[in-house]
Amino acid sequence: MKRAIPVLVLSVAGLIPVWRYEPSLGTPTTEAASPATASTPSAESGAADSGSSDSGSSDSGSSESGSAADTVVKGSTVNTDKGPVQVQVTFAGDRITAVTMLQQPNHPQTTAAVPQLVAETLEAQSADVDTVSGATITSDGYKESLQAAIDAKGA
């Protein structure tokens, strides 16, 4: 009987985290999750408008032009286990000046990883960035979409 009470208490204490766990729903968002990106409000509203009207052909990389000096290129939509990932890259000449997430999984690790991925992209000026621990699937999708945008810019 002396062991029954601690076993019962520890069992309940071990089950509480399981009951409180909320799995990812995998619903994509079209908002930019990174406040670190340097984009103008007009570019964000243009991205939202083009994302909603271009949903049928979002799997292929496409180009848009912003101002005369900047080129905005969308990467391909990469379907991951957590949800779709798509980036939009702004180039000034050959330099990457901004990266915006057009689609991303609605997941806490993804939300935390995006600013780090964007910062590393702006520093590296390529898709050769480190995978973020805890967001491996999203990081891989990000790099694939980013590389597609870079390739579309070069073509």
Side-chain angles (χ1 to χ4, degrees), residues 67-87:
S67 66
D70 292 345
T71 304
V72 179
V73 181
K74 289 182 187 177
S76 60
T77 300
V78 178
N79 292 316
T80 67
D81 292 340
K82 299 288 184 183
V85 176
Q86 184 180 25
V87 300

Side-chain angles (χ1 to χ4, degrees), residues 15 17-18 52 64 73 76 85 87-88 90 100 114 121 154:
L15 288 174
V18 174
S52 62
E64 299 176 355
V73 181
S76 60
V85 176
V87 300
Q88 176 177 295
T90 305
T100 307
V114 169
T121 301

Side-chain angles (χ1 to χ4, degrees), residues 3-118:
R3 291 185 203 173
I5 293 174
V7 167
L8 183 62
V9 169
L10 291 174
S11 296
V12 170
L15 288 174
I16 288 174
V18 174
W19 291 327
R20 295 193 52 140
Y21 177 72
E22 289 186 39
S24 171
L25 299 177
T27 56
T29 61
T30 56
E31 297 176 20
S34 171
T37 58
S39 61
T40 60
S42 62
E44 288 176 344
S45 65
D49 292 341
S50 64
S52 62
S53 65
D54 198 22
S55 61
S57 63
S58 64
D59 285 346
S60 62
S62 60
S63 299
E64 299 176 355
S65 59
S67 66
D70 292 345
T71 304
V72 179
V73 181
K74 289 182 187 177
S76 60
T77 300
V78 178
N79 292 316
T80 67
D81 292 340
K82 299 288 184 183
V85 176
Q86 184 180 25
V87 300
Q88 176 177 295
V89 184
T90 305
F91 293 93
D94 288 335
R95 290 196 48 83
I96 299 173
T97 57
V99 180
T100 307
M101 294 291 287
L102 296 179
Q103 294 184 48
Q104 70 182 40
N106 186 17
H107 200 268
Q109 284 87 355
T110 298
T111 304
V114 169
Q116 185 175 349
L117 289 167
V118 170

